[in-house]
Amino acid sequence: MEINKHYFDTVIIGSGLAGCRAAIECINHGTVGVLSKLYPTRSHSTAAQGGIGAALGNEEEDSPEWHTYDTVKGSDFLGDQDAIEIMCYDAIPTIIELEHMGVPFSRTPEGKIAQRRFGGHTREFGKAPVRRACYSADRTGHAVLFALYEQCQLKGVRFFQEFQVLDIVVENNAVQGIIAVNIKDGSLHVFESKAVIIASGGYGKVFKVTSNAYASTGECLSMLFRQGLPLEDMEFFQFHPTGLYGLGILITEGARGEGGILINGKGERFMERYAPTIKDLAPRDMVSRAILTEIREGRGIDGKDYVYLDLRHVDRKILEERLPEITTFCKIYMGIDPSEAPIPVVPTAHYAMGGIPTDNDGRVLRDIDGSVVEGLYAAGECACVSVHGANRLGCNSLLDTVVFGRRAGKAASSTLKTATKGKVKKERISLIADCVDMIRRSNGRETVASVRRDLQTAMMDKCSVFRKEEELKVLLDELQALKERYKDISIADKSNTFNTDLLEAIELGHMLTLSEVIASCALQRTESRGAHCREDYPKRDDENWLKHTFAFQGDKGITFKYKPVKLTRFKPEERKY
Amino acid sequence: MSKYYTFKIKRYLPDENPSTRWDEFRVKLNSMERVLDGLVKIKETMDGTLTFRKSCAHGVCGSCAMKINGQNRLACQTLVKDLPETIEIEPLPALPVIKDLVVDMTMFFHKNDKVLPYLINDEPPPERERIQSPEDQHKILESITCIMCGSCTTSCPVFWADKEYLGPSALLKAYRFLFDTRDRATEQRLEAITGEHGVWRCHSIFNCVEVCPKEIDITKHILKLKRLAVKKGFTGGEK
Ligand SMILES: Cc1cc2nc3c(=O)[nH]c(=O)nc-3n(C[C@H](O)[C@H](O)[C@H](O)COP(=O)(O)OP(=O)(O)OC[C@H]3O[C@@H](n4cnc5c(N)ncnc54)[C@H](O)[C@@H]3O)c2cc1C
Ligand code: SF4
Ligand code: FES
């Protein structure tokens, strides 16, 4: 077996916002290789629509302190306040720097970066919505990602596009490197390094209806978990209230920021009942529950399982200028013009609050006591700092990726002088090669597609917006059965060239592992907080649960440990809007 | 409402057979489904070896560009209900095929690299954002929506004849920076696009405009580039 070897001081997995921002930092200090299973600018960050948050105060008075408070409250007090404060104060220089790098932000009449409203972002500690989201029409992710990728090119970052990482090698409590396959020809490659930064994005694909891309499968998280490293707060998965009905394609919260309202089958603006002060601009967890409650109580449109997002009263010019992309989506996929007809929407699986636990500089934690894995970093959606706690506010994720991508890059670079070069053992490479071969040669009775479909359906039915004990237990049994079925799969494509059949099979194995973690975490948390809504425990329980879940792979299944939430300025209070 | 469609797909499986063939699949799809859904269904239930790129599934990442009934389009943005019952699918033209519908885009991306595709401004940055009026932002608005899907360049007859030709996408990229008020590399970039295989090769055939899934009027942008080049005295190469 021929193995291609590479060395870079820093290896980065993922070329979304977090990966590219980290790379820009690291390239000033050593060599950098970035791997992505897609072409870099096709990373999921490119799909982000509505905006990136920062209290620039360009359109009205704002302050990082208010941003901090909103984020803490939005997180249902599970976010770590020290990390949140870092993010909200770093936000301003971060956005200015992005602008200098060339991001084509939309502009105010005076030529400053334009800002609009987003859910849960308020002035003066909850008084009224505030314009905090910086945007480039409704293609903010695309605009920022292109600029970051372009700056990487300018600075000489090496990209390995369409390379899928199969293993992240951690031995003796230090990262040694990674093993990847070149999708184009199936060749195996080993990248040794002093530091590895994981920026592999989210994993919404474990759910049936999602705004996430096909590539958002989360295998890198599972690779660490299977080696005994923890995952944090996996029970918190955000459903975005406004996914296009039947498709899950996102309609940005920016649409409500520009004045869109939600209406039920009786034509009522129902958010007035759930969040009297900020109504349709309440945080996502609340709006998602409100929509599903309306539907459950028979007030969906024509008694069916969706509600309307109404933009008909919004000036056509605003739609054209600030929301052109979603206007096009509505036309292409639903055959409707949002200035003439309301848009049918339901919540769609959207964002992973949980992930690889890190400290405020992106160092990967191996336990609740703050001990770290040497040389290993994580940032972006795959990581849990935690700035989003139990519920992320819109436009805080893009911010998280750049702020903590940069910090992780900085921390990784600062240790390069003294760090030792990693070594990936031959046996480890053979092990991976054998696993790949085994799947390639498999000739069982199950197909990847059928197991995956059943997994996604089960997760959607039993572990989405509302959860209860019996259902989660049934789900865990189903997941066991699916794991058995997975052992009996076969794939049709046995070739080396661009074998997506094989790679999807590998991803599915990891999706099964992750789903089990999500479901187990959801079962153990007997309270409702943020996006985690347990119908059998409807109240938030600060006495017992104001803490982060760390899930570990034990010999006899998943075990849990808990880490206190870092509270600094803001005491938990009831979350009313 | 669902209905049967026949997908005629041009196959190339190099590990199996060095020549291409056409395969036919019959799939039932409802009126909301996309060509991409059809391809996924075929891969999942009929032939796992069928290979194509995909990611976002709603026309924003540029992965799934391919030739559908003779025209370059995004499979995830083309609804089957708008097509005849027989749907013919081939890889993007004029690029080497890796497998089935997957083409090697290296050549395409290299063209971008040639136009200095990044904002260049070595002046010390101000403390706040560089001011840019909404009108100035509008000048680049269309050009920044390009998702680099490759549909335009691979539909251009000039590119078919001259593989060195920068092509619509790379020229659009050059426009994006040349008309950004914050950029300072006008001369360098004009130099890069006014050579033998540059902007003068565009004969306004409009294929690129026809196929662009983002409805960018690329030819208009290229014309503006030509005008700027003349104005700045970069008139070299073919005219
Ligand atoms: C439709 C949509 C709209 C959104 N809008 C907003 C918004 O307006 N504002 C906001 O703040 N947030 C928004 N979000 C959330 C935000 O976009 C994401 O959380 C963020 O972009 C994630 O960035 P990332 O860099 O962590 O990962 P990604 O951009 O997802 O990148 C992941 C990278 O990892 C690579 N990768 C993964 N696994 C492997 C592997 N095994 N081998 C090699 N490479 C691998 C991928 O190829 C990719 O390059 C939105 C999300 C969606 C889905
Ligand atoms: S200009 Fe249009 S067709 Fe060409 S690469 Fe960009 S999006 Fe695709
Ligand atoms: S899959 Fe992203 S454009 Fe089609």
Side-chain angles (χ1 to χ4, degrees):
Chain A
M1 179 189 50
E2 202 196 321
I3 301 291
N4 305 272
K5 278 212 166 189
H6 309 261
Y7 172 80
F8 289 93
D9 293 330
T10 308
V11 162
I12 299 176
I13 307 172
S15 59
L17 257 59
C20 285
R21 185 60 192 86
I24 290 174
E25 207 59 36
C26 296
I27 193 70
N28 295 325
H29 305 274
T31 54
V32 183
V34 180
L35 289 91
S36 169
K37 59 179 171 177
L38 303 166
Y39 185 76
T41 53
R42 293 172 181 172
S43 300
H44 199 45
S45 290
T46 207
Q49 301 172 354
I52 177 164
L56 295 182
N58 278 359
E59 305 244 14
E60 56 192 349
E61 193 193 349
D62 199 1
S63 87
E65 196 190 359
W66 299 344
H67 191 178
T68 305
Y69 171 78
D70 289 338
T71 306
V72 169
K73 184 175 168 189
S75 81
D76 218 344
F77 296 89
L78 193 78
D80 287 319
Q81 296 186 11
D82 54 341
I84 293 175
E85 198 166 324
I86 289 177
M87 179 176 82
C88 296
Y89 281 79
D90 264 5
I92 297 170
T94 297
I95 299 294
I96 298 300
E97 188 189 57
L98 287 177
E99 197 278 337
H100 293 158
M101 287 180 182
V103 176
F105 284 111
S106 295
R107 301 285 169 158
T108 65
E110 315 85 76
K112 296 196 254 175
I113 297 171
Q115 298 190 275
R116 67 170 151 220
R117 292 175 178 160
F118 244 73
H121 290 279
T122 68
R123 52 175 306 161
E124 291 172 83
F125 313 102
K127 281 219 179 108
V130 74
R131 292 174 209 278
R132 188 175 287 146
C134 312
Y135 60 94
S136 181
D138 51 359
R139 307 182 190 94
T140 313
H142 175 93
V144 181
L145 180 60
F146 271 61
L148 289 179
Y149 173 63
E150 288 156 4
Q151 292 298 312
C152 284
Q153 281 181 298
L154 176 62
K155 292 182 167 224
V157 174
R158 269 286 296 282
F159 282 91
F160 294 84
Q161 61 252 14
E162 303 196 312
F163 270 64
Q164 185 153 329
V165 176
L166 302 176
D167 194 16
I168 302 164
V169 183
V170 177
E171 257 168 38
N172 305 322
N173 193 28
V175 74
Q176 308 295 334
I178 61 171
I179 303 170
V181 53
N182 181 351
I183 300 178
K184 190 172 170 183
D185 59 16
S187 56
L188 277 189
H189 294 249
V190 175
F191 291 76
E192 290 171 336
S193 64
K194 288 182 178 170
V196 170
I197 302 176
I198 309 171
S200 61
Y203 43 87
K205 270 290 158 187
V206 301
F207 295 98
K208 187 170 157 212
V209 178
T210 176
S211 63
N212 282 201
Y214 276 104
S216 302
T217 43
E219 58 273 21
C220 291
L221 282 82
S222 160
M223 285 170 210
L224 298 188
F225 184 76
R226 287 179 183 178
Q227 293 180 68
L229 292 172
L231 292 177
E232 182 176 355
D233 290 344
M234 297 295 284
E235 61 272 39
F236 298 104
F237 200 94
Q238 175 169 77
F239 280 69
H240 192 295
T242 57
L244 274 188
Y245 180 61
L247 290 162
I249 295 173
L250 195 76
I251 301 297
T252 175
E253 202 165 76
R256 279 171 286 140
E258 299 293 356
I261 54 171
L262 291 162
I263 49 177
N264 65 17
K266 292 170 121 181
E268 295 162 334
R269 185 180 184 186
F270 58 86
M271 280 313 297
E272 283 174 345
R273 274 186 275 126
Y274 299 86
T277 333
I278 60 175
K279 305 184 182 88
D280 300 89
L281 285 171
R284 293 174 179 176
D285 56 335
M286 298 177 95
V287 185
S288 290
R289 280 193 300 275
I291 292 176
L292 292 176
T293 305
E294 291 296 307
I295 292 171
R296 276 183 176 189
E297 292 174 359
R299 292 189 297 279
I301 304 301
D302 300 330
K304 291 205 275 271
D305 55 344
Y306 59 87
V307 298
Y308 279 143
L309 171 62
D310 195 351
L311 291 169
R312 286 174 296 183
H313 55 283
V314 177
D315 191 345
R316 194 183 268 272
K317 232 181 125 200
I318 292 200
L319 289 186
E320 275 164 18
E321 272 183 16
R322 302 196 197 155
L323 302 165
E325 202 82 351
I326 61 143
T327 306
T328 316
F329 296 156
C330 291
K331 286 185 184 153
I332 294 178
Y333 300 107
M334 306 302 264
I336 58 175
D337 176 348
S339 54
E340 278 160 18
I343 312 166
V345 293
V346 276
T348 180
H350 184 60
Y351 182 85
M353 268 83 67
I356 305 164
T358 72
D359 71 6
N360 293 343
D361 290 309
R363 292 183 194 90
V364 172
L365 302 176
R366 54 182 302 114
D367 213 334
I368 52 168
D369 58 9
S371 52
V372 300
V373 182
E374 277 323 305
L376 189 61
Y377 302 79
E381 191 169 339
C382 67
C384 181
V385 182
S386 126
V387 283
H388 309 303
N391 173 66
R392 168 174 77 85
L393 291 189
C395 84
N396 266 355
S397 165
L398 293 187
L399 182 61
D400 166 13
T401 61
V402 272
V403 166
F404 291 98
R406 181 181 132 269
R407 289 178 77 92
K410 206 165 169 194
S413 302
S414 72
T415 60
L416 288 179
K417 280 213 178 80
T418 50
T420 45
K421 291 183 182 179
K423 246 193 123 25
V424 177
K425 289 199 188 112
K426 276 214 183 78
E427 302 86 78
R428 184 87 173 218
I429 305 168
S430 319
L431 194 74
I432 291 294
D434 291 347
C435 287
V436 174
D437 262 359
M438 211 169 72
I439 297 180
R440 198 198 299 275
R441 286 196 313 267
S442 62
N443 54 4
R445 290 159 299 178
E446 292 283 350
T447 66
V448 170
S450 69
V451 176
R452 187 174 51 212
R453 196 177 325 111
D454 292 347
L455 166 71
Q456 290 165 332
T457 308
M459 286 296 286
M460 195 76 194
D461 289 348
K462 304 191 179 71
C463 198
S464 57
V465 175
F466 295 109
R467 298 152 172 200
K468 353 185 212 285
E469 179 175 320
E470 309 98 82
E471 290 190 352
L472 289 168
K473 284 188 167 154
V474 174
L475 172 62
L476 282 165
D477 289 340
E478 286 174 357
L479 291 173
Q480 283 313 320
L482 286 168
K483 277 168 121 180
E484 287 305 312
R485 282 172 59 193
Y486 179 71
K487 289 184 191 150
D488 193 30
I489 56 163
S490 71
I491 60 167
D493 196 339
K494 312 282 182 196
S495 73
N496 285 317
T497 311
F498 223 96
N499 192 340
T500 52
D501 209 18
L502 173 69
L503 296 175
E504 284 179 22
I506 295 173
E507 287 169 353
L508 176 61
H510 290 294
M511 286 162 80
L512 285 161
T513 302
L514 268 193
S515 299
E516 197 184 348
V517 181
I518 298 168
S520 314
C521 288
L523 181 62
Q524 53 90 43
R525 185 175 284 270
T526 49
E527 65 155 354
S528 289
R529 183 188 297 270
H532 175 65
C533 177
R534 283 285 299 264
E535 293 187 275
D536 40 359
Y537 298 90
K539 287 239 152 58
R540 190 174 89 195
D541 175 3
D542 284 342
E543 206 171 305
N544 296 302
W545 287 106
L546 187 60
K547 57 190 183 187
H548 297 288
T549 307
F550 273 52
F552 295 81
Q553 176 74 71
D555 295 337
K556 292 197 197 79
I558 297 171
T559 59
F560 303 100
K561 285 187 187 175
Y562 301 96
K563 192 176 124 177
V565 172
K566 188 96 178 181
L567 302 171
T568 55
R569 286 200 45 196
F570 301 108
K571 278 213 189 64
E573 58 188 44
E574 199 194 339
R575 205 159 145 255
K576 279 200 292 215
Y577 284 92
Chain B
M1 231 200 21
S2 46
K3 188 168 129 179
Y4 276 99
Y5 290 88
T6 303
F7 278 59
K8 275 184 73 179
I9 305 175
K10 192 171 188 180
R11 305 293 307 271
Y12 171 59
L13 298 159
D15 300 25
E16 237 174 64
N17 189 334
S19 52
T20 56
R21 62 166 200 254
W22 287 86
D23 277 357
E24 277 189 31
F25 303 94
R26 264 172 76 70
V27 243
K28 201 171 180 187
L29 295 165
N30 70 45
S31 61
M32 252 163 94
E33 289 189 281
R34 306 156 270 204
V35 170
L36 184 66
D37 297 311
L39 292 172
V40 168
K41 236 169 238 187
I42 294 167
K43 185 175 182 72
E44 290 189 343
T45 59
M46 293 175 219
D47 185 351
T49 66
L50 180 67
T51 306
F52 48 92
R53 288 191 176 101
K54 63 178 189 310
S55 188
C56 71
H58 63 292
V60 297
C61 77
S63 299
C64 67
M66 53 187 73
K67 200 163 161 183
I68 301 171
N69 285 348
Q71 200 181 55
N72 295 350
R73 310 182 67 158
L74 298 178
C76 69
Q77 202 177 276
T78 309
L79 298 194
V80 286
K81 74 173 170 52
D82 300 327
L83 298 174
E85 262 164 57
T86 301
I87 303 171
E88 213 174 85
I89 303 178
E90 296 167 73
L92 283 181
L95 291 175
V97 181
I98 295 174
K99 180 174 174 177
D100 288 347
L101 305 171
V102 177
V103 292
D104 188 341
M105 305 212 42
T106 318
M107 195 197 299
F108 171 77
F109 291 125
H110 268 329
K111 295 181 184 304
N112 270 291
D113 300 346
K114 290 197 179 139
V115 306
L116 315 178
Y118 21 73
L119 190 94
I120 301 178
N121 186 333
D122 294 331
E123 295 160 13
E127 221 160 82
R128 293 287 295 206
E129 64 265 53
R130 293 194 161 101
I131 297 296
Q132 182 175 57
S133 70
E135 296 71 40
D136 282 338
Q137 209 255 349
H138 270 128
K139 287 188 193 138
I140 56 168
L141 196 59
E142 248 185 284
S143 66
I144 58 175
T145 64
C146 169
I147 56 174
M148 305 224 283
C149 69
S151 294
C152 54
T153 299
T154 60
S155 74
C156 175
V158 179
F159 170 63
W160 299 342
D162 171 13
K163 291 278 171 344
E164 300 280 308
Y165 171 47
L166 285 174
S169 169
L171 289 170
L172 187 75
K173 185 65 90 189
Y175 175 100
R176 182 250 168 279
F177 291 104
L178 280 165
F179 284 82
D180 191 322
T181 51
R182 302 168 296 172
D183 188 82
R184 293 289 173 270
T186 308
E187 311 273 308
Q188 267 170 284
R189 212 173 275 112
L190 282 174
E191 185 76 52
I193 64 161
T194 49
E196 194 190 338
H197 305 286
V199 66
W200 310 115
R201 285 260 151 139
C202 171
H203 297 306
S204 305
I205 301 166
F206 293 104
N207 274 18
C208 53
V209 181
E210 272 308 273
V211 299
C212 175
K214 295 281 138 185
E215 298 183 354
I216 305 170
D217 189 342
I218 309 163
T219 310
K220 182 184 81 189
H221 289 81
I222 296 179
L223 277 172
K224 286 197 183 155
L225 282 179
K226 286 182 177 170
R227 220 170 285 151
L228 179 71
V230 172
K231 204 170 113 196
K232 298 266 176 191
F234 286 84
T235 49
E238 192 186 328
K239 270 176 231 164

